Amino acid sequence: MTPDFMTPLLASAPADGGLLSRGGLFLAEGGLMDTWTRFNFGGIGASKFARDADHLFFWIYLISAFFFVLLMGMTAWFSFKYRWKPGKVPERSASHNTYLELAWSVIPTMLLVWMFFKGFWGYVDGVISPAQGLTIDVIGKQWSWNAVYPNGAVSSESTRARSLNNPGSENGVQDTPIFYVPEATPVTLRLSSEDVIHSFWVPDMRTKFDAFPNRYTSVWFEGERITGDKTLPPDKKGNPTLGKDGKPVPYTDHWVFCAEYCGSNHSEMMAIIRVVPREYFKHWMEDAATPKGTLVERGQAYYKIKGCNACHSIDGTKAIGPTWKNLYGYEVNFTDGTGMTAAERTGATFAEYFKTSVFNPGAKIVQGYPNQMQSYLGRLSDEEMRCLIAYMSSPLLTDRPAPQSVDDVPENEKK
Amino acid sequence: MTTIDTRHGGGEVLDDRPYHEKYKHAAHFRTAEAEFDACKLGMWLFLATEILTFSGMFVAYGIFRMMYPQAWANGSHYLDPFWGGLNTVILLYSSFTIAMAIHNAQKNQQFWLKVNLIQTIVCAIAFIVIKLAFEYIPKWSAGKRPGSLFTYPFAENPYEPIWWGVYYGATGIHALHVLTGVVLIGWLLIRAQKKHFGPTHYTAVEIVGLFWHIVDIVWIFLFPLLYLID
Amino acid sequence: MTTIDTRDIGGHGGHADGHHEGSYLQPKGGLIATVWDWMTTIDHKKIGVMYLFATLFMFFLGGMAALAVRLELWAPVRQITDAAGAVKVTGQAFAWYDSFGQNNDLYNRFFTLHGAIMVFMFIIPSIPAALGNFLLPLMVGAKDVAFPRLNLLSWYVYVTGSIFAVAAIIAGGVDTGWTFYTPYSTTSDAGHWRVVFMVLGVFILGFSSILTGLNFVVTVHKLRAPGMGWFDMPLFVWAIYSSAVIQVLATPVLAITLVLLMFERIFNVGVFDPRMGGDPVLFQHFFWFYSHPAVYIMILPGMAIINETIAVHARKKIFGYRAVAFSSLSIAAISFLVWGHHMFTSQGEIASAIFSALTFLVAIPTAVKMFNWTTTLYKGSIRFTTPMLYSLAFLFLFAIGGLTGLPLGTLATDLHLHDSYFVVAHFHYVMMGGTVIAYLAGLHHWWPKIFGKMYSTFWANVGCIIVFIGFNVTFFTQFILGTRGMPRRYASYIDDLQFLHQISTVGSWLLLLGFLVHLFVFVHSLIAGPKAGANPWGGLSLEWETDSPPIEHNFHHEPIVKHGPYDYDDVVPPHCDPKDYPLPAPLPEGHKGH
């Protein structure tokens, strides 16, 4: 497998005629700056701030390159010209020169002052979000991101793809949530954390900010109009995803990474920002406000919404916490020497065990696992817990499920 | 004054001058003054590190006082300015006695040198005893403890545990310095008993004196900041 | 033109019992007596040599951890279903546990190990404590540092701190990162003492650093040889002096921070704990108030070495001596004001603006130094010895390291680059391309002086070239990884980045090969190297006046300084044949030289 190192260089130009074509030949598509940006960043910035920042970076790069070539050129030339030869008598030369020294102090200083001001003005644009932006709460926890939309909608979609160019290869070790945002709209993400410090980085938008457990911070961006030809994949049942107009919905995806080290699965703490047309976004946000379907289906949604998936697998693989596969109806041993029989892990005793584990995780630690879970007290409603218990006791997760319908329960013999 | 000792039959030089007169500076220094100056400069640098260490505590104090003024006001109420004030007076007096000890060494007043060193030690121990008996022990047993150890049932502000964290941290590190001072001054006292210090050599007294002054000055800042803020 | 006064100082002071004219390396009796002599020595040269071996050992440990980190990053962590239908996790080089999370923790421990060892146990003590200890007294013409016993104490403090840190590693390692950011560092690994041990170790190491710095400052102030004014000192001494000042003034803040961190872990004091009202950002401020100046504790000594190697091997006075000397001091001063540039993504805009401006300020003296070194080569007589090759490599790598600091100091571009691989590449270009490469330059420059043996210049040059290429292959790719979106401290990554990661990993193997060549060269030199002359490079600073290796009391006679350390145009170096070092025609009468 050879990930295409040079793809960004060869990538087709944006269809709308180029973002930088205003700038003349030097800055035009295929020009020096364009090529440099594509190579360096793997693509053109996806917001106005991103393009401005890249522009500034490019000029800093040119200045740096000039001084680097100057210094190294001098070094190479002097090293060659004044190399030692047997018997060669060296020449005298001045050991200082005030004007020269002033020149190489003052000229860089002026360039640095320019850099500082350009950087500061750009930063103000980059970190102070516009008042009229759409505000979405983004909550970081070890090791997942959660987004809560203004109407209470939560994102329950996720993927295990680890390449945006090749969405078929879903081979990540952990689910990556997908956050929908509207195109060409200022979006402010209000960041907070439930445990340690995280940092929300959207490389394509060239911005990031830290998420703290004791204060709110924010990251904002305005996604470009969608230009690619990718359209939303069909839903889980195989129905095509169509917009109101009955056409396939175009979208652009952007990676989100946690950029502040936060523990074991720091490197899996990703998300995808999916920019979709405004009309479709409106529809999506209304639709996503409440999980729908049976208790089990809702439980399936809450498993992701509540971030259980960060530590508990559903396919039997051992993650940070015990897998939920075959948990219901199976015996278990705890680190304090006690345990539960298979029969005890059913019905009401299972529900009580689950509630204790969620609200007071340190009370019973399953053997072989660290005491690492934070309490969900106040973060999980009765309804959500009911759905999760239904999900865990369903045939989806256990080979010894609770009865799902009256047919599952044998009828008593008439006496 | 050098005499030849003939008691052992050999020609050994018996130098019966007191230590401070026959003291020869270390070989890598050119003169005794250079050595004295070097020691003093070294001590001043060390004192700079001490001030920076405590400045960390002061910054933490300032930031949390800004964040939680009510917790700080409450916390200060729990402290008795009488004991704090008495300790301030004790430390100020001890600063005076150690300064006098340096003076005594310079003037070769061996007796008063020892008296002043003993006074300084007594003051330092008194400071620690007051700190323990009237402050740390009663407060700790009442549950006024730092962080998660805090069990005081009548707290009026949720951030009082942080106040106690800063209080025990700052005064605890200071008290450690006082104890270090006791050891150092005790060492001086033993050497003074052997007549090690005199007009020609009193480097150790001088630099321990400097250390003791800094311990004093830190307390001068801690006292009003902890006891007298509202 | 002689520089030596004939005053005999042998019988001076406490050394009336005989002349110590033998090499300091001469064994004192049998094996046990010699070991005891080294363990209790207060000779700055022996302490320097002990530091040299200790820091090189730590470099080896930290380097192994780095190789492990690069190996883990050869492939991303993926979950696949194999032909038999079993679910497997691939891409973890160290899969000692059956859960991928715990295996990720192994990676986290490796990079923490690498960072903590390299920063606290290798780079900070390396040049000052090893070469500085050995050379500073020699260069100022002193018989020892001001407080020799304190110097020995600082060595034992260093050993003690390292033992605590290594104990933490043996007990299973620490996964907090070398920066110990709260609240992760106070909650991770709860119930274990490893983190406390590591923090305690670093706390103790801090005192070693303070004591060494204090010793150097006093030595420079009080022990200069007669005739040596401040501006007659070699620039090595100026830069070591500047970094010693930072060591003394910045390290105490780290000490109090680590004390609070230990209180926090043991007693849950709450100062940094958001759940109790504490503030984790306060920790960052405290930590960087030390650790940013610490960056200059690391790089200034590197600059110190380059000042000497370039001057000696190009036979030229450093261009703009005073500018270079003052730039060291101003770097030291400004270094205390820029810590907030580590927090551009965690603090308010005003604070960021101020710290960004101050950060650019520190770029100026650094640029001045670069220009001065380059112009020093002008009209020189340049010999491509190993130290010179390494110095040229330093100029190349440090220029890249310094210039890539610009987009990091610029606020708008830093929003993207912060905590990315771009930062990783930047500081490796500065810390490794700068300090470690300079350390190697210095080691090759003073090796004949320290051990009295020459090494194979050919193989050392080969090693130098391999290290230079390997370094660029390893770290230049990381600039591009960073701008393309690779975050720091990731055990895994998205598919698009694998190719660059693999190049970087191959580079790390090249680096290993280069260092092995050097190891071979040094070991060979110690065992079978030819005897080195007192002044193999034709240096003019005072350490070249004495024998190689130096005698126990450094100089046969107290040196009196009569010429500057870089007057190559006017002075034939001591112990050298004038034919090998021809002087330019003397200046006409009445003309005052520069």
Side-chain angles (χ1 to χ4, degrees):
Chain A
M1 180 173 85
T2 310
D4 20 21
F5 175 59
M6 302 302 278
T7 313
L9 278 182
L10 311 170
S12 63
D16 70 351
L19 306 160
L20 303 158
S21 47
R22 290 161 262 140
L25 208 63
F26 189 53
L27 304 177
E29 252 168 64
L32 184 58
M33 173 172 165
D34 184 61
T35 313
W36 178 83
T37 306
R38 280 176 204 281
F39 178 75
N40 223 12
F41 294 93
I44 297 293
S47 66
K48 184 178 177 307
F49 168 76
R51 289 196 316 278
D52 289 349
D54 288 355
H55 198 130
L56 177 58
F57 195 157
F58 177 67
W59 283 105
I60 295 175
Y61 173 81
L62 278 191
I63 292 169
S64 306
F66 169 77
F67 280 103
F68 183 72
V69 170
L70 178 73
L71 284 166
M72 288 310 112
M74 273 161 52
T75 306
W77 181 44
F78 294 158
S79 302
F80 176 74
K81 181 149 187 228
Y82 301 111
R83 67 191 184 282
W84 171 80
K85 286 173 213 137
K88 183 184 150 191
V89 180
E91 293 173 73
R92 272 178 199 280
S93 65
S95 64
H96 68 96
N97 180 323
T98 311
Y99 293 113
L100 197 57
E101 289 178 66
L102 267 180
W104 69 46
S105 311
V106 172
I107 295 172
T109 306
M110 290 182 332
L111 289 168
L112 293 174
V113 169
W114 173 82
M115 264 175 228
F116 165 71
F117 278 107
K118 288 293 283 183
F120 177 59
W121 291 324
Y123 180 76
V124 170
D125 286 346
V127 296
I128 300 183
S129 48
Q132 75 278 19
L134 178 76
T135 302
I136 301 170
D137 271 300
V138 170
I139 302 109
K141 63 190 279 292
Q142 286 167 325
W143 296 276
S144 64
W145 295 105
N146 260 310
V148 181
Y149 290 77
N151 66 347
V154 287
S155 170
S156 59
E157 247 179 88
S158 66
T159 173
R160 287 196 171 196
R162 287 294 179 264
S163 166
L164 297 181
N165 309 322
N166 184 14
S169 65
E170 302 221 341
N171 57 3
V173 283
Q174 191 181 299
D175 288 321
T176 301
I178 298 173
F179 303 151
Y180 282 76
V181 298
E183 67 173 342
T185 311
V187 175
T188 302
L189 303 179
R190 188 163 50 202
L191 305 174
S192 58
S193 161
E194 288 182 3
D195 33 50
V196 300
I197 303 175
H198 303 282
S199 185
F200 194 88
W201 182 19
V202 198
D204 287 350
M205 310 288 185
R206 312 283 190 262
T207 189
K208 72 164 68 68
F209 217 86
D210 291 1
F212 291 100
N214 63 335
R215 63 186 69 174
Y216 285 108
T217 51
S218 71
V219 150
W220 86 275
F221 52 81
E222 186 179 322
E224 285 294 322
R225 289 212 176 274
I226 300 154
T227 51
D229 47 9
K230 284 200 278 192
T231 52
L232 288 179
D235 68 12
K236 277 174 211 150
K237 289 173 188 139
N239 303 321
T241 310
L242 300 175
K244 259 189 169 174
D245 51 5
K247 286 184 189 156
V249 183
Y251 73 98
T252 322
D253 276 353
H254 304 289
W255 282 116
V256 173
F257 301 118
C258 174
E260 184 64 68
Y261 173 65
C262 59
S264 310
N265 289 359
H266 171 52
S267 51
E268 299 298 333
M269 192 168 165
M270 309 180 189
I272 285 173
I273 284 185
R274 177 164 290 174
V275 183
V276 292
R278 285 173 64 101
E279 268 309 303
Y280 181 79
F281 175 79
K282 218 165 96 182
H283 158 74
W284 176 88
M285 194 166 103
E286 279 159 19
D287 198 51
T290 39
K292 281 170 287 291
T294 63
L295 277 183
V296 174
E297 281 165 357
R298 271 141 64 197
Q300 230 171 336
Y302 285 129
Y303 165 71
K304 288 176 182 170
I305 292 171
K306 291 293 162 184
C308 314
N309 57 342
C311 303
H312 302 279
S313 75
I314 48 171
D315 54 7
T317 45
K318 188 175 174 184
I320 306 301
T323 179
W324 283 8
K325 180 79 182 165
N326 286 343
L327 194 128
Y328 184 90
Y330 284 81
E331 68 283 353
V332 69
N333 290 316
F334 301 118
T335 48
D336 59 3
T338 63
M340 284 174 87
T341 62
E344 278 171 336
R345 290 239 278 189
T346 59
T349 40
F350 174 79
E352 184 54 27
Y353 162 69
F354 181 72
K355 188 175 176 182
T356 313
S357 304
V358 166
F359 288 160
N360 185 14
K364 295 282 179 194
I365 309 294
V366 176
Q367 271 183 13
Y369 292 89
N371 177 12
Q372 206 157 20
M373 184 166 158
Q374 305 249 339
S375 169
Y376 268 66
L377 198 59
R379 293 199 266 154
L380 210 60
S381 69
D382 285 353
E383 137 83 8
E384 286 155 357
M385 194 170 313
R386 200 156 32 242
C387 295
L388 284 169
I389 291 171
Y391 177 41
M392 294 174 88
S393 57
S394 75
L396 289 173
L397 280 190
T398 174
D399 300 336
R400 300 172 185 169
Q404 302 289 306
S405 79
V406 70
D407 295 337
D408 296 343
V409 188
E411 190 178 4
N412 272 347
E413 298 290 322
K414 278 192 180 146
K415 294 239 165 111
Chain B
M1 187 182 68
T2 312
T3 53
I4 306 291
D5 179 21
T6 50
R7 278 172 292 179
H8 304 295
E12 285 172 38
V13 176
L14 179 72
D15 192 347
D16 56 2
R17 290 176 299 165
Y19 177 87
H20 61 89
E21 280 180 27
K22 66 183 178 194
Y23 175 79
K24 189 92 185 121
H25 57 87
H28 57 288
F29 289 105
R30 288 184 188 86
T31 59
E33 269 124 56
E35 186 185 46
F36 179 72
D37 288 349
C39 290
K40 237 174 130 169
L41 178 63
M43 195 61 200
W44 276 110
L45 286 168
F46 180 73
L47 296 186
T49 70
E50 289 286 7
I51 289 173
L52 280 154
T53 308
F54 279 104
S55 69
M57 283 315 301
F58 284 121
V59 168
Y61 171 94
I63 285 183
F64 288 116
R65 184 173 168 184
M66 234 156 53
M67 284 166 77
Y68 312 121
Q70 197 51 49
W72 251 232
N74 293 357
S76 183
H77 274 298
Y78 296 124
L79 304 180
D80 189 342
F82 172 75
W83 294 116
L86 183 61
N87 262 346
T88 312
V89 173
I90 289 173
L91 276 193
L92 279 175
Y93 180 71
S94 74
S95 242
F96 169 73
T97 54
I98 195 102
M100 285 313 292
I102 298 168
H103 178 77
N104 298 142
Q106 286 167 337
K107 297 281 176 215
N108 208 7
Q109 296 155 339
Q110 298 291 340
F111 173 72
W112 286 107
L113 169 63
K114 280 177 269 180
V115 168
N116 277 318
L117 289 177
I118 291 169
Q119 286 199 66
T120 315
I121 294 180
V122 169
C123 285
I125 292 173
F127 178 92
I128 295 290
V129 168
I130 290 176
K131 199 92 207 135
L132 279 176
F134 300 104
E135 306 213 303
Y136 283 169
I137 293 174
K139 289 193 175 64
W140 190 273
S141 46
K144 297 166 187 163
R145 303 174 193 174
S148 58
L149 304 174
F150 186 82
T151 54
Y152 185 59
F154 309 111
E156 289 159 6
N157 188 294
Y159 300 116
E160 281 176 29
I162 292 202
W163 153 269
W164 291 112
V166 171
Y167 168 80
Y168 284 106
T171 57
I173 294 170
H174 177 261
L176 271 181
H177 280 80
V178 175
L179 285 176
T180 313
V182 171
V183 173
L184 288 175
I185 299 166
W187 170 68
L188 289 185
L189 189 60
I190 293 168
R191 292 189 61 188
Q193 178 63 29
K194 295 181 189 161
K195 292 198 166 50
H196 273 196
F197 306 117
T200 45
H201 179 63
Y202 55 92
T203 314
V205 190
E206 173 95 18
I207 62 171
V208 172
L210 282 174
F211 174 78
W212 192 251
H213 288 317
I214 215 77
V215 171
D216 190 17
I217 288 169
V218 169
W219 180 256
I220 298 287
F221 279 97
L222 282 177
F223 171 60
L225 285 175
L226 293 172
Y227 290 77
L228 305 176
I229 49 164
D230 92 303
Chain C
M1 194 177 295
T2 179
T3 62
I4 294 177
D5 192 310
T6 48
R7 274 192 291 167
D8 186 359
I9 52 168
H12 183 61
H15 297 284
D17 53 335
H19 294 250
H20 296 263
E21 300 285 291
S23 150
Y24 79 101
L25 287 172
Q26 222 161 43
K28 300 272 179 298
L31 181 69
I32 293 172
T34 307
V35 169
W36 181 250
D37 172 56
W38 276 79
M39 280 172 66
T40 55
T41 185
I42 53 169
D43 181 351
H44 68 101
K45 298 184 288 300
K46 287 182 180 168
I47 294 173
V49 169
M50 291 196 289
Y51 265 119
L52 178 67
F53 285 111
T55 52
L56 288 180
F57 176 70
M58 286 301 170
F59 181 65
F60 166 76
L61 274 190
M64 286 296 123
L67 287 171
V69 164
R70 284 309 329 161
L71 195 62
E72 165 65 46
L73 291 168
W74 179 259
V77 182
R78 292 290 182 267
Q79 181 175 299
I80 54 158
T81 312
D82 65 10
V87 176
K88 275 202 323 191
V89 172
T90 63
Q92 291 189 311
F94 303 94
W96 300 347
Y97 299 98
D98 54 359
S99 103
F100 73 85
Q102 279 172 296
N103 289 332
N104 280 352
D105 261 349
L106 279 176
Y107 170 82
N108 298 340
R109 274 151 220 243
F110 278 129
F111 79 66
T112 302
L113 199 68
H114 169 66
I117 288 188
M118 286 298 196
V119 169
F120 296 115
M121 280 156 258
F122 171 62
I123 300 189
I124 289 181
S126 65
I127 299 177
L131 293 180
N133 246 325
F134 194 96
L135 293 165
L136 189 91
L138 284 169
M139 281 188 168
V140 298
K143 272 182 271 185
D144 209 322
V145 290
F147 309 114
R149 272 179 297 179
L150 204 61
N151 205 15
L152 182 66
L153 175 68
S154 127
W155 156 254
Y156 278 109
V157 171
Y158 170 79
V159 172
T160 313
S162 302
I163 287 173
F164 272 105
V166 171
I169 292 162
I170 292 171
V174 172
D175 71 337
T176 57
W178 75 273
T179 48
F180 305 115
Y181 267 21
T182 54
Y184 185 72
S185 62
T186 48
T187 51
S188 133
D189 242 0
H192 276 290
W193 282 82
R194 292 186 288 239
V195 177
V196 175
F197 264 50
M198 184 61 115
V199 173
L200 185 64
V202 172
F203 172 78
I204 295 171
L205 287 166
F207 281 95
S208 161
S209 189
I210 291 176
L211 296 179
T212 306
L214 191 150
N215 227 331
F216 287 178
V217 172
V218 178
T219 307
V220 172
H221 272 273
K222 300 292 176 196
L223 287 183
R224 275 171 288 128
M228 185 181 273
W230 280 90
F231 293 105
D232 301 321
M233 297 193 307
L235 285 163
F236 180 89
V237 178
W238 270 105
I240 292 282
Y241 174 80
S242 305
S243 80
V245 170
I246 311 178
Q247 275 171 288
V248 172
L249 295 184
T251 319
V253 179
L254 177 72
I256 188 76
T257 312
L258 296 178
V259 166
L260 287 174
L261 188 62
M262 283 187 277
F263 280 179
E264 184 84 37
R265 260 197 90 95
I266 301 168
F267 304 118
N268 233 329
V269 179
V271 176
F272 301 133
D273 184 353
R275 281 171 305 179
M276 307 188 67
D279 189 1
V281 180
L282 181 66
F283 176 84
Q284 298 184 16
H285 279 286
F286 274 13
F287 182 80
W288 290 114
F289 184 84
Y290 162 75
S291 292
H292 195 80
V295 169
Y296 297 94
I297 297 177
M298 301 180 221
I299 189 63
L300 275 168
M303 296 169 163
I305 287 175
I306 297 305
N307 289 331
E308 296 305 309
T309 50
I310 287 197
V312 172
H313 298 274
R315 311 215 58 69
K316 231 346 96 193
K317 182 170 187 163
I318 285 282
F319 190 83
Y321 174 100
R322 281 182 189 237
V324 175
F326 283 122
S327 65
S328 290
L329 283 184
S330 54
I331 286 174
I334 302 168
S335 74
F336 283 96
L337 307 173
V338 299
W339 79 89
H341 71 212
H342 295 267
M343 285 173 274
F344 284 161
T345 64
S346 33
Q347 65 198 357
E349 302 85 41
I350 303 300
S352 290
I354 293 168
F355 283 121
S356 168
L358 290 166
T359 301
F360 281 117
L361 211 56
V362 90
I364 299 165
T366 315
V368 166
K369 274 178 188 272
M370 278 303 298
F371 279 111
N372 282 301
W373 287 325
T374 310
T375 24
T376 299
L377 300 175
Y378 179 67
K379 290 196 175 174
S381 175
I382 298 159
R383 293 173 204 231
F384 293 98
T385 54
T386 314
M388 192 62 191
L389 278 190
Y390 264 118
S391 307
L392 295 174
F394 172 92
L395 291 183
F396 184 92
L397 302 174
F398 185 69
I400 295 179
L403 289 167
T404 49
L406 296 176
L408 289 170
T410 307
L411 287 168
T413 44
D414 181 68
L415 273 186
H416 177 58
L417 303 173
H418 187 89
D419 271 338
S420 75
Y421 258 52
F422 193 88
V423 178
V424 176
H426 160 73
F427 72 69
H428 278 92
Y429 265 85
V430 177
M431 298 287 90
M432 189 171 177
T435 310
V436 177
I437 295 293
Y439 191 32
L440 286 165
L443 208 50
H444 286 93
H445 184 64
W446 285 294
W447 183 270
K449 179 55 66 184
I450 296 174
F451 296 106
K453 300 270 187 102
M454 272 312 284
Y455 49 84
S456 158
T457 313
F458 173 78
W459 284 106
N461 285 354
V462 169
C464 170
I465 289 163
I466 299 175
V467 166
F468 179 74
I469 295 170
F471 179 86
N472 282 299
V473 171
T474 310
F475 293 106
F476 200 85
T477 41
Q478 297 188 2
F479 283 122
I480 303 164
L481 276 171
T483 44
R484 287 190 179 193
M486 177 71 200
R488 280 176 85 169
R489 298 172 167 179
Y490 259 33
S492 180
Y493 44 81
I494 54 173
D495 288 348
D496 313 2
L497 301 175
Q498 187 172 11
F499 186 64
L500 288 167
H501 269 296
Q502 290 183 340
I503 297 180
S504 183
T505 301
V506 170
S508 73
W509 300 335
L510 271 177
L511 273 173
L512 173 67
L513 176 67
F515 286 124
L516 286 178
V517 171
H518 281 309
L519 181 68
F520 163 76
V521 168
F522 283 144
V523 170
H524 176 266
S525 160
L526 283 182
I527 296 169
K531 199 175 169 345
N535 193 1
W537 316 117
L540 279 182
S541 39
L542 289 175
E543 79 271 25
W544 302 109
E545 304 252 353
T546 183
D547 304 354
S548 295
I551 56 165
E552 198 148 317
H553 287 290
N554 291 356
F555 300 99
H556 292 284
H557 307 283
E558 181 167 43
I560 307 268
V561 177
K562 292 187 179 157
H563 61 73
Y566 308 114
D567 289 344
Y568 296 101
D569 287 347
D570 303 308
V571 185
V572 175
H575 312 290
C576 287
D577 187 344
K579 270 186 286 178
D580 294 339
Y581 296 96
L583 299 178
L587 288 168
E589 204 61 35
H591 186 288
K592 201 177 173 304
H594 293 281

